[in-house]
Amino acid sequence: MAEYLIKNGFVFDPVLGIKGDRVDVAIKDGKIVETTALSSPKVIDAAGKTVMAGGVDIHAHVAGPKVNIGRNFRPEDKLFGYKARSGIERMQGGFSVPTTIRTGYNYARMGYTTVMEAAMPPLYARHTHEEMRDTPILDQGAYPVFGNNWFVLEYLKNHEIENAAAYIAWLLRATKGYAVKVVNPGGTEAWAWGLNCENVHDPVPYFDITPAQIIKGLIEANEYLGLPHSMHMHANNLGNPGNYTTTLDSFKLSEGIKPNSKFGRDQVMHHTHVQFHSYGGDSWANVESKAKEIMDYVNSHDNLTIDMGQVTLDETTTMTADGPFEHHLTELNHLKWANADVELETGSGVVPYVYSPSIKVCAIQWAIGLELALLAKDPMRVFMTTDHPNAGPFIRYPRIMKWLMSEEARKQQFDAFKHKDKVIDATNLANIDRELDLYEIAQMTRAGPAKSLGLAHMYGGLAPGLEADVAVFNFNPNEPYAPDDIEKAFGSAEHLFKAGVQVIQDREIVSNGNKRTLWVNAKVNENPQVMRDVKEKFLRYYTVTLNNYEVTGHYLPNPYVIEVDATE
Amino acid sequence: METVTLTIKNQPELYLEADTIAPDAFAGKKAEEIADLPVYVGREQHRLGDFFEVSGKAGATPEETKIVVGGDLSRVKYIGMKMTGGEVVVNGNADMYVGAWMQGGKITVNGNVDAFAGTGMKGGELVINGNAGNYLGAAYRGDWRGMQGGKITVIGNAGSDIGTFMNGGEIVIGGDVDVHVATHAEGGKIVIKGNAKSRLGGQMVEGEIYVLGSIDLMMPGFVYREDVDVDMDGIKGRFALYEGDLGERHRKRKGQTIYAKLYQRIEA
């Protein structure tokens, strides 16, 4: 493979602790190496430019059945947005629910190289893997959802952690999944009965278990297995005024549990899109930010990581396994709604949504997301996301960087709100003058998520031995710049390397890369009871047989297996 | 006002997608520059001048530009799409999406138009001196934003699904219409001077439909309220007022529930 030497760039790397110094980055055989290891490298002149590791997105909905429902039922999302094939680039379409091809290219253009699909219904894992396979350039993994799964509910009702762990290990292997995802624990199952679980003690109908038992049990099972990532949490009561207490109650369930993982993470719970979970008040009329209360907790508990779920003020498509929430949303905006039940496993809903700067609540949501990041004491534990496409399309990450890095940019946005004064009253953002620097941005978008995922040995930094995922941006941090320069520069990487292959050269996509699918193979002691339960439930309830369930072979043309041994 | 005349000289093998035939694209250009504007046949890009004779010149702004298109345009789509001002006169039959998403100015078609004319229209005036096809003044497939403003006048008949997801503006049909009128509408006004068939106002939340002729079958979601006298824009007579669609949500204003209104003339 070709050798590269990226010379004279301003490097921001939390792994090596480099804060904008001029450092040369060397690439050989797909890895970062010492500059002395190169013999005849191709030299990339990065003078006056910013160099970072490839971005890592810990939470996005980019592949699988609900994303595809979004594509299918929103032809208007693709209207006038198609781009014909040109050069190496294949045809692309869609805005908030782009095609797989556009997903890969647009992430690459922002300098991202690893993206995790945040919710995979196990029964439709094959579909999810087919779409990931068709997404160029990016390394990807998918989180199967467990929080409403009948096996899990039955095992955890009796606190059978070992059985729950054996089932998780089996399902990760069967679906080629990466981590344990929990969405509205118990609530989506309750939705099949027309109900919901609105707090952590609201019992799940029929199963006689509470969300608190599910959350705690899944954290314990996750640590029993010692998986690379922690339990990945979307709490109950998403998107409702006053829900911050539910969020704090959910956080507290992780207290006293220590991480048991050889993969270097410090947290036992990752709570996703916290913006949607940080609301005070008791109605949409008096909803207010509780980001401060939430961040006081996060800042003082280091076994927790979170991501933002930043509202970007776009027209987008919401989609989640939180079925009851999507019904709530369609009742609110009267736009079209899709709902699905996934047998014994989960459910989902999809509704288009317009986050308008003229609507007070949307502007408050925008402010809350930014507050979470700006109140973070440790940027290694608070990550940038939009919960794509729920709070906005991922292509807005550079715009979020602009808002985080520039108080002036936030002021401009405040001035554009119709209800500016009411929004300022209901939030804290106008009193926050913090401006993040590129080092902190690199923590929130690269080193932090990589560590939380248990992938710090591969991604998130520029230390020798890591994957050669390197982005060069046309941005000089030492010269004066306007806020919009940030958005422009980080929206279009000058050069991008993925595992040592140059995929972007002079802002042109020049390679479709060699994408890999990451999954976790957790070995556990033989567990005849769980295997008998699996066989029995497939026989009695599933519409498919076990033989038609497992994801194998051609679904993962280029797998990357992370082995975990929990047999001790 | 300056005038540009386009006369079709070569028919496209498939269909020509010519959203560049609009005062906004022509403004400030000479005939040669206009002939260089892009049009599409399938995925191939061509020049407008490959298909049309171009003469005259455009005004400095869209408002000062008039376009006269002549010949058989039954394979030309998107004439006047998204235009914001000025005038387009089509002398012949045009294909789909005439005046789609238009925001201002005026389009006059001296002939028939195919489906989706005035899709998502926000303003301006569209006059069709022949017949219109399906989905007149409707929303694009999947979208909830149909016609929102402006006026569409059809001298002849119109097809099915007119005014789907209409939120504002006015559609006047001189002749008859096919099924599905104002489905899902939340505003606006549709006047049908001829006869209607069935499924008028299905899932309609707000807005008005006037039918001067017959209706084959009334939706079960519409209920008769009373007879009223109407005298509006030259439409005069005694009308039966129906309200609906009772199966939909309806907002309240001053304690009163607002329904969609369907007026059928019982006496001229």
Side-chain angles (χ1 to χ4, degrees), chain A residues 48-334:
Chain A
K49 298 186 168 69
T50 293
V51 179
M52 285 186 187
V56 179
D57 196 339
I58 197 164
H59 188 106
H61 301 276
V62 287
K66 71 185 178 315
V67 181
N68 215 37
I69 286 174
R71 294 190 190 106
N72 282 335
F73 98 149
R74 292 209 63 197
E76 75 279 10
D77 189 68
K78 306 176 191 73
L79 187 60
F80 306 126
Y82 279 105
K83 200 175 152 204
R85 197 183 78 171
S86 105
I88 191 130
E89 288 187 44
R90 294 172 58 188
M91 195 186 91
Q92 301 155 61
F95 174 73
S96 68
V97 270
T99 58
T100 53
I101 306 292
R102 177 165 278 177
T103 300
Y105 292 158
N106 279 356
Y107 264 112
R109 286 193 179 94
M110 301 188 307
Y112 273 68
T113 45
T114 306
V115 176
M116 291 295 176
E117 161 54 46
M120 171 165 75
L123 185 59
Y124 303 123
R126 289 182 172 190
H127 180 173
T128 311
H129 280 282
E130 280 173 325
E131 289 199 10
M132 290 199 292
R133 181 186 66 188
D134 288 349
T135 305
I137 300 170
L138 308 174
D139 281 356
Q140 288 184 286
Y143 312 153
V145 286
F146 284 96
N148 294 278
N149 180 303
W150 289 14
F151 294 90
V152 169
L153 300 184
E154 285 174 2
Y155 293 138
L156 293 183
K157 178 163 79 178
N158 304 320
H159 202 72
E160 296 168 13
I161 299 300
E162 198 176 334
N163 287 343
Y167 173 73
I168 289 168
W170 175 79
L171 195 84
L172 288 175
R173 197 175 316 120
T175 64
K176 302 298 177 280
Y178 185 79
V180 175
K181 175 72 185 299
V182 181
V183 178
N184 188 358
T188 301
E189 173 56 28
W191 176 235
W193 306 72
L195 304 168
N196 195 0
C197 292
E198 283 167 5
N199 64 64
V200 295
H201 302 301
D202 210 352
V204 186
Y206 178 75
F207 284 97
D208 194 26
I209 184 173
T210 63
Q213 287 172 285
I214 301 170
I215 295 165
K216 203 161 172 134
L218 282 172
I219 296 176
E220 289 173 17
N222 199 102
E223 298 314 315
Y224 175 96
L225 291 169
L227 298 179
H229 189 35
S230 62
M231 191 270 262
H232 192 105
M233 172 85 176
H234 154 155
N236 306 87
N237 211 6
L238 175 145
N240 289 321
N243 66 2
Y244 81 105
T245 53
T246 311
T247 313
L248 292 174
D249 287 344
S250 307
F251 284 169
K252 284 174 191 160
L253 295 166
S254 68
E255 279 177 13
I257 308 177
K258 294 249 171 322
N260 165 41
S261 170
K262 292 173 185 155
F263 295 87
R265 65 173 157 88
D266 294 326
Q267 90 282 8
V268 295
M269 180 194 286
H270 174 79
H271 197 304
T272 187
H273 42 65
V274 175
Q275 176 274 128
F276 286 120
H277 302 266
S278 305
Y279 304 157
D282 56 20
S283 78
W284 290 118
N286 65 12
V287 66
E288 58 178 353
S289 169
K290 289 289 177 185
K292 205 175 161 301
E293 286 75 0
I294 292 288
M295 288 314 294
D296 281 347
Y297 187 95
V298 173
N299 285 334
S300 57
H301 291 81
D302 60 9
N303 65 347
L304 190 62
T305 60
I306 65 164
D307 66 78
M308 291 161 71
Q310 175 62 32
V311 163
T312 63
L313 305 167
D314 284 289
E315 176 182 322
T316 190
T317 313
T318 67
M319 52 183 63
T320 168
D322 194 339
F325 172 73
E326 291 289 352
H327 178 254
H328 174 76
L329 209 55
T330 190
E331 292 284 288
L332 211 63
N333 74 0
H334 307 300

Side-chain angles (χ1 to χ4, degrees), chain B residues 181-227:
Chain B
V181 176
T183 306
H184 257 302
E186 298 209 19
K189 181 164 93 180
I190 298 179
V191 177
I192 299 157
K193 294 187 175 172
N195 302 323
K197 288 185 171 168
S198 65
R199 281 163 268 176
L200 288 87
Q203 296 180 300
M204 193 172 177
V205 177
E206 231 175 296
E208 296 166 353
I209 303 173
Y210 294 82
V211 181
L212 275 57
S214 62
I215 298 174
D216 287 356
L217 191 67
M218 186 70 74
M219 288 284 292
F222 274 75
V223 61
Y224 168 76
R225 299 288 195 208
E226 58 180 336
D227 289 352

